Every structure is written in C-alpha cells, then in structure tokens.
Amino acid sequence: MTHRKPKNTEALLERYLRQECSPEEQQLVEQWYDNLELDPQDTSAWAEASRARFLQTHMPGMPNRRSFRPWKRVAAAAALLLLAGTAWFWLQQTPHNNKTQTLFSATTAAAALKQVVLPDSTIVWLNANSTLRWTGDYRMGQRRVELDGEASFDVRHDTAHPFVVHTADADIRVLGTCFNVAAGKAEAATEVALLRGKVAIKLNDQSAADLVLLPGEIATCSARKGSLEKQQADVQSSFSWMQGGFTARDMPLKMVLEKLCTKYGYSLQWHNRGGGDKHISVAFAAQGFNSMLESLCFVNHLHYTIQEHQILIQ
C-alpha cells in the first residue's frame, strides 16, 4: 500500500518537530514515515528529514526508527560524540540562484546548533555563527562544500567521489571519515581534528605537499603564514561544543574571550592594558556562558562587566 505525503508537509513537519501536532496529525506523520519509500531525487526538506531518520535506523548506534521522537532530540552519527539532547534537529537548507547553478547554504545564529543532511547523506553539525555552502552539482558527484565557522562532519564513504571542505586556509580532502573543522573569523588559523578515517590537507595557493592526518591527530593550517603542521592531541575535546562545551587550543587570551563571547552573541570590549597576548588552552565541559566567562576572568586576574550584549574587560 502506498501512502502519499501529507498535505502542507513543510508546515506539518515543523509542527511535528516543535511538538505542536494534534494526535491525528502525529499519527498521520508517523504512518506516512513507516511506509516511506525514499526517493534519492527528492531534495525537499521533507525528504531530507526522511533520509536523516533512515540513517538513524541503519547506522550503528542509531535509535530504532519506531522509537524515534523529535522531542527526545536526535543524536549525531555514532562516530561523533553523541549530542545527548542539547541541540535542536534542523533540516532546512536555503537555495540561492546565480547565473549558472543553484547555491545552497545553511547558517547558524549565536548560541545555536544546526544539523544538515547533504544530498549524499553526509551529516554535518554546524556550531554557532557558522555557514556551510554547496552547489547544485553536489548531487552529480562534485562533493565540495565551503565552511566559514566550525562544523563536525560524518562523511558517507564514496571512493570514486572524494569529499572536500574548503576554508579560508586550506582544502580538506576525504573519502569517508569523521572530523571537526574550526575555521571561523574567531580562529587564528583553520584547525582540523580527526576522529576516524584519513584526510589530506592542502594549503590554499601553496605548492607544498599535502599533509595527511590520522585518527587522534589535530592539524593547524594558516595560508597567510604558509604554515601547516599536526600533532597528537585529545581530539574528543574538539567535539565538546556539540554537548554545550567550549574549547580553545593555544590561542591568545583576548582571542579566546572573543571566540567565547561571539559564540553566545556578545561583543568584547578590551580595556585591559596587557595580558591579552598570553597564549592559553581551555576545555570547558557543558556549562553556561556566564560560568565559563567567570572562570576565564578569575584565573587570568581580569575584571569584567556585562552591559546588554557587550562584555567589558578591565
């Protein structure tokens, strides 16, 4: 028996995710899904939602589809740190038309997370203040995305079509793997942390050989400085933002505070005469913005005040 999509599926899906459906609407959505036949050519938000739920059924560690409820929040793929209910499940993408092809983008606001399911079922989690872009030819094997900000990727394996993440500093080339990329304006350089698989990193506009990254390694690359290096590190901490944490590795104190404030929608006003250039590393577990700000300022002997959406450091 074939079940058609419910009418006004986009609006109905949004109500379903917000727990605003009537019992009859909820039954309709779940009945339709239980009889769903996935169409790989369907690029609607409804189809993307269906693919995401399908992945949860068939990837190891995913909850059974019949026990899935959006209000219990969705865990990321098993290879990533589980989100454990700290972020909303977003599945919408914004198309932009230009003269030659359609451009798609997904963007997050301050203090927000978003999940994006790409046409090949690659799963991407975007951190706050981040943008992911890709073109309409992605479906035809051109698996290339552009990142401004921070994101974790669980890439579907496809040897014939390598997956490439382009940042301001480098191209990160993979076949199928799980890794985190921090490449926002708050970062001094692009940082890549590899959880599993293998990636090759090439600096933009550089003739130097690729740097191959293995699990448990973190690479730091800066096209401006012409630097590309890696080290063994605790890569799990690079994924802590998915659980509400915050990590900064070997960055100037002022830049760390700017990164933290920007993540939560605050601007930083630095009126301290010194100390901002001191390099520090921090790794906070899930806690509130005020708690992390208080700890950073206390340890570094700084005084701060909060005025609306500004943090004044003295």
Side-chain angles (χ1 to χ4, degrees), residues 147-292:
L147 175 67
D148 180 9
E150 183 169 14
S152 290
F153 296 82
D154 196 354
V155 179
R156 180 167 182 174
H157 185 79
D158 185 348
T159 304
H161 302 99
F163 184 89
V164 178
V165 180
H166 176 76
T167 74
D169 293 297
D171 279 352
I172 302 132
R173 180 184 175 92
V174 305
L175 296 179
T177 187
C178 179
F179 60 102
N180 190 81
V181 180
K185 295 179 177 62
E187 310 292 337
T190 293
E191 181 183 280
V192 183
L194 184 62
L195 191 60
R196 73 163 194 268
K198 182 187 294 186
V199 303
I201 305 171
K202 185 176 183 60
L203 283 178
N204 294 337
D205 302 322
Q206 301 286 335
S207 59
D210 293 0
L211 177 70
V212 176
L213 203 62
L214 300 176
E217 295 180 336
I218 291 179
T220 303
C221 42
S222 171
R224 181 176 59 85
K225 297 180 179 179
S227 62
L228 178 58
E229 54 189 27
K230 67 177 182 178
Q231 61 180 330
Q232 289 281 337
D234 174 21
V235 298
Q236 295 282 359
S237 65
S238 296
F239 295 85
S240 66
W241 59 268
M242 300 179 67
Q243 298 175 302
F246 175 81
T247 302
R249 188 175 288 103
D250 192 27
M251 293 173 60
L253 172 59
K254 182 181 177 182
M255 188 174 291
V256 172
L257 285 167
E258 287 176 339
K259 179 179 178 180
L260 177 64
C261 291
T262 300
K263 174 179 172 67
Y264 288 94
Y266 292 87
S267 61
L268 179 71
Q269 298 294 324
W270 185 272
H271 298 300
N272 192 284
R273 292 186 176 181
D277 295 330
K278 178 179 67 174
H279 280 236
I280 65 171
S281 295
V282 297
F284 288 108
Q287 55 190 282
F289 168 72
N290 287 347
S291 176
M292 291 186 282

Side-chain angles (χ1 to χ4, degrees), residues 48-67:
E48 294 302 309
S50 304
R51 292 190 189 94
R53 296 175 68 177
F54 182 82
L55 283 173
Q56 292 165 22
T57 303
H58 296 284
M59 291 184 67
M62 291 295 96
N64 184 275
R65 69 184 175 114
R66 294 185 181 273
S67 66

Side-chain angles (χ1 to χ4, degrees), residues 76-140:
L80 298 178
L81 294 179
L82 292 181
L83 192 59
T86 61
W88 192 253
F89 186 52
W90 291 86
L91 290 162
Q92 296 200 6
Q93 301 145 8
T94 304
H96 310 276
N97 292 320
N98 64 15
K99 294 181 179 180
T100 58
Q101 58 187 328
T102 302
L103 302 177
F104 294 87
S105 67
T107 302
T108 50
L113 304 181
K114 179 181 289 188
Q115 188 190 61
V116 179
V117 182
L118 295 174
D120 65 341
S121 298
T122 287
I123 296 177
V124 185
W125 279 98
L126 286 177
N127 201 354
N129 302 306
S130 300
T131 298
L132 185 74
R133 303 179 185 89
W134 65 99
T135 60
D137 60 2
Y138 186 102
R139 184 174 296 280
M140 295 180 289

